[in-house]
Structure formats: structure tokens, C-alpha cells
Amino acid sequence: MQKSKEKLDYIVLGSSTGLTTLDTQIIDSITGLQGVNLSMDDTSMPLHALMLEHFLAQGGKVSSCVLVFDAGQMNQQSLQTSGNSYRFLPFIQEEYVIEYFKAADNSLLSRSKWLPVIGVGYYNAELFYPGLYSAIDPKRHNRFDAKGNYSYPNSGGPQKRETDRLEFGLYNPWFKKIKTLCEANSIELILYHPPKFRSEVVSEVSVSNFINHSKLLQDAALFYDHLHVNNKGRQLTSVTFANEFSISANK
């Protein structure tokens, strides 16, 4: 991540649902704002907190942080690290990255500051199969755009299931760290729950700045699976979010 010289209007933090649900190019075209998607697949609240801390440490400036979350994440009280933490190994010399691995009880990777072979070996092992695939088919590339957005194809679809109701509280210690970082840097924190097929998400407590799209989409043709929207679903959701976010930003 290059050091930013200009202040962004917003960033999107999240996992694969953050990547595939909110298209910042659509949002920017409607709102006139400038944002970027910093979501990473196979991650949860611990890595969202680290991403925000990394963004700020690298000189990033932003007015609003849109945290795309899953109700289950908010109820977790463990400090355990999430998947794909290894992607921060190139920054292992940074104190906040070391502290992250220590807090998340991943002492092996935290030692790579003094024993680089640990981090390099782990990092290269994770890249081995993608590299092999690229060698076989060098013309194939990922579906990320210049602003960090990613989309699933319009194929697939969720399995039919009963509607469920999910409640969440604000218990996750990593969420509390995100909240503290935002407050310390005068960043407006906006909670966002993406569409989830046949699910209703509600908060146990009153939550300010909460955009709840859990029930926004009802058509199975707009989902890649029950957790992720497809490209069509992403476009509809992004337009709806942009209109609601624009109202919030202009208050």
C-alpha cells in the first residue's frame, strides 16, 4: 500500500463479502465521493483491525470507515487471528504487525522479524499453487479492479433453506480496537451488514451509523451462494448503499 497524499472520503473494510458486495466505482459515481475497497478474502475482525491500523500507519487519511461485518463475527470474543494473516508478513518489521501476531497468539509468525526464513518460507508456500496455476495459464488474471473491488460471476446460486434470524452484540475485542482507532483519528465508523440469502440480522443493542442490508435482496438469482451476491446483486446493492451513504455523508 503506497502512502496516500490525499484524504479519501471513505474506505471499505471487510472479508470476501466486503470485496464482492460494495463496488466503490459505482458508489463514487453516484455520490461524487472518493473511496477504496481494502477488504480481503478469508479474513475476519482481527485482520480488519490490522488493515485499518496499517492504512493509518502508512499515512492514509480518510473521513469514514465502512466496516462490512457478519453477525457471527461481532459475537466472537476470542483474540484468535484470522485467515490470510500471512499477507502482512512483508511488514513484519513494523511494531503494530508484530503486536498483532502476539495478541492473536501466533508466536511462530511473530518470530519472523528475527528469523526471516520463517515468514519467507510460509509466504512462499502460500504462493506456490497460485504461481503454478499462473505458469500453466499465464493469460488468466483475477477479477480485481483498480479500486480493490472484486465480483463473483452470475452463475451459482444459494441452496434453498429456511429463513433465519441472527442477533449480534458488540462483543468482539477487535471491533472495539477498530472503534478506538476511528475515534482517535476522527474517522466516522459506519457498520454495514451485506445481503444474506433468507436471513434477517438484528442488533441486541442500539447501534448508530448502521446500514442493514441483510434482507435487501430476496431473489436467489442475485446470489452466488447464500453469503455472497453475484455481479448483478453487487450492482443493485451498491446503488442502494450509495444513496443511503450519500444521505449520511451530507448530514
Side-chain angles (χ1 to χ4, degrees):
M1 181 185 299
Q2 296 180 344
K3 292 189 176 182
S4 175
K5 296 182 180 179
E6 297 182 1
K7 185 175 183 178
L8 294 168
D9 294 302
Y10 69 96
I11 57 174
V12 178
L13 292 180
S15 60
S16 57
T17 53
L19 278 176
T20 58
T21 304
L22 297 180
D23 187 331
T24 59
Q25 298 210 54
I26 293 177
I27 296 168
D28 291 355
S29 68
I30 293 173
T31 63
L33 302 174
Q34 289 293 321
V36 66
N37 199 327
L38 300 180
S39 301
M40 288 201 302
D41 61 296
D42 190 23
T43 59
S44 55
M45 206 64 70
L47 217 53
H48 305 343
L50 180 57
M51 176 61 83
L52 178 58
E53 192 167 14
H54 180 62
F55 172 80
L56 295 171
Q58 296 299 308
K61 298 177 182 179
V62 68
S63 298
S64 300
C65 173
V66 180
L67 178 62
V68 182
F69 72 98
D70 179 78
Q73 291 180 15
M74 282 295 192
N75 293 329
Q76 292 177 357
Q77 301 184 48
S78 170
L79 287 171
Q80 184 178 3
T81 181
S82 57
N84 283 335
S85 296
Y86 75 93
R87 292 178 180 176
F88 279 91
L89 285 174
F91 305 95
I92 194 63
Q93 298 300 319
E94 302 287 353
E95 194 62 31
Y96 59 89
V97 177
I98 297 176
E99 291 303 317
Y100 164 80
F101 284 120
K102 288 181 178 178
D105 196 25
N106 198 327
S107 58
L108 176 62
L109 293 183
S110 68
R111 291 171 185 160
S112 63
K113 176 179 180 179
W114 300 278
L115 294 171
V117 66
I118 296 175
V120 171
Y122 191 95
Y123 192 84
N124 287 342
E126 292 289 333
L127 295 179
F128 175 75
Y129 287 106
L132 185 62
Y133 193 84
S134 296
I136 297 173
D137 188 1
K139 292 185 179 181
R140 183 179 290 271
H141 58 83
N142 60 51
R143 292 189 293 271
F144 287 93
D145 64 23
K147 287 200 168 186
N149 304 291
Y150 182 91
S151 65
Y152 278 124
N154 291 323
S155 57
Q159 297 294 320
K160 185 178 180 179
R161 59 197 190 101
E162 298 298 322
T163 299
D164 53 18
R165 189 174 188 270
L166 308 171
E167 294 186 0
F168 72 92
L170 305 178
Y171 305 120
N172 194 300
W174 292 101
F175 165 72
K176 294 176 181 178
K177 180 168 185 175
I178 292 173
K179 188 172 183 291
T180 299
L181 283 171
C182 287
E183 291 173 348
N185 291 275
S186 300
I187 300 171
E188 178 189 32
L189 178 60
I190 299 171
L191 299 185
Y192 176 75
H193 200 289
K196 192 172 184 180
F197 187 63
R198 292 187 178 173
S199 295
E200 178 186 12
V201 172
V202 294
S203 174
E204 297 176 355
V205 296
S206 177
V207 180
S208 59
N209 291 340
F210 177 32
I211 299 177
N212 187 358
H213 281 174
S214 59
K215 294 175 60 180
L216 178 66
L217 304 180
Q218 304 294 324
D219 188 351
L222 299 175
F223 286 85
Y224 179 75
D225 56 34
H226 77 280
L227 291 175
H228 303 90
V229 296
N230 58 26
N231 191 40
K232 291 179 180 178
R234 180 181 74 152
Q235 293 180 31
L236 291 173
T237 306
S238 297
V239 170
T240 304
F241 174 86
N243 290 325
E244 295 183 38
F245 182 50
S246 180
I247 294 173
S248 173
N250 290 325
K251 283 184 179 179

